[in-house]
Amino acid sequence: VQLQASGGGLVQTGESLRLTCVASGSTSLLNAMGWYRQAPGKQRELVAAIRGGGLLNYADSVKGRFIISRDNTKTTVWLQMNSLQPEDTAVYYCAAAETAPRDTDGYYYRVYGMDYYGKGTQVTVSS
């Protein structure tokens, strides 16, 4: 599975950005796609995930501001980021998983990650 992300950039506080990720290759076994981010000096964290059945998981820090969605083929995922804050500055990575955990709160993907990652795209929010 290959993942290609795009849409990062430099914005000011309060502005919006939309990230796009397109999956290719053996995508029929994928159960979830999502976005992670890593800021300098910090660990990677799950930002949002969407599973095959439509279950959504968000990091507490982005709830109400970010929206994850996908197309009907389940191979393209978007992350709409609104009301961006300087603390959202990070490299954002698209991810995909064949693993289908039983939890519904995002614990597995948050702790263990997903199976595939794309190259990151930089998001910088200036104050």
Side-chain angles (χ1 to χ4, degrees):
V1 174
Q2 295 79 45
L3 302 169
Q4 181 66 50
S6 61
L10 171 64
V11 296
Q12 295 188 342
T13 298
E15 294 185 340
S16 299
L17 275 177
R18 189 173 82 156
L19 304 182
T20 301
C21 176
V22 178
S24 59
S26 301
T27 60
S28 62
L29 297 179
L30 294 179
N31 283 288
M33 292 184 70
W35 295 91
Y36 290 77
R37 68 185 180 186
Q38 187 166 19
K42 295 188 176 181
Q43 290 188 334
R44 182 191 66 195
E45 64 170 343
L46 175 66
V47 177
I50 182 167
R51 306 194 198 188
L55 179 66
L56 306 179
N57 297 119
Y58 292 99
D60 288 342
S61 60
V62 307
K63 284 180 181 177
R65 300 189 297 123
F66 290 12
I67 301 171
I68 188 169
S69 60
R70 67 185 179 197
D71 71 342
N72 289 335
T73 67
K74 300 180 183 179
T75 58
T76 299
V77 173
W78 298 278
L79 184 68
Q80 178 67 41
M81 305 185 293
N82 301 318
S83 300
L84 283 162
Q85 303 297 314
E87 51 266 34
D88 295 316
T89 295
V91 177
Y92 284 70
Y93 297 89
C94 178
E98 295 175 357
T99 305
R102 294 182 179 181
D103 69 88
T104 60
D105 62 357
Y107 175 84
Y108 185 93
Y109 293 141
R110 190 166 61 248
V111 174
Y112 299 105
M114 293 190 179
D115 301 307
Y116 305 97
Y117 293 88
K119 292 182 180 179
T121 184
Q122 177 71 45
V123 172
T124 303
V125 185
S126 65
S127 58

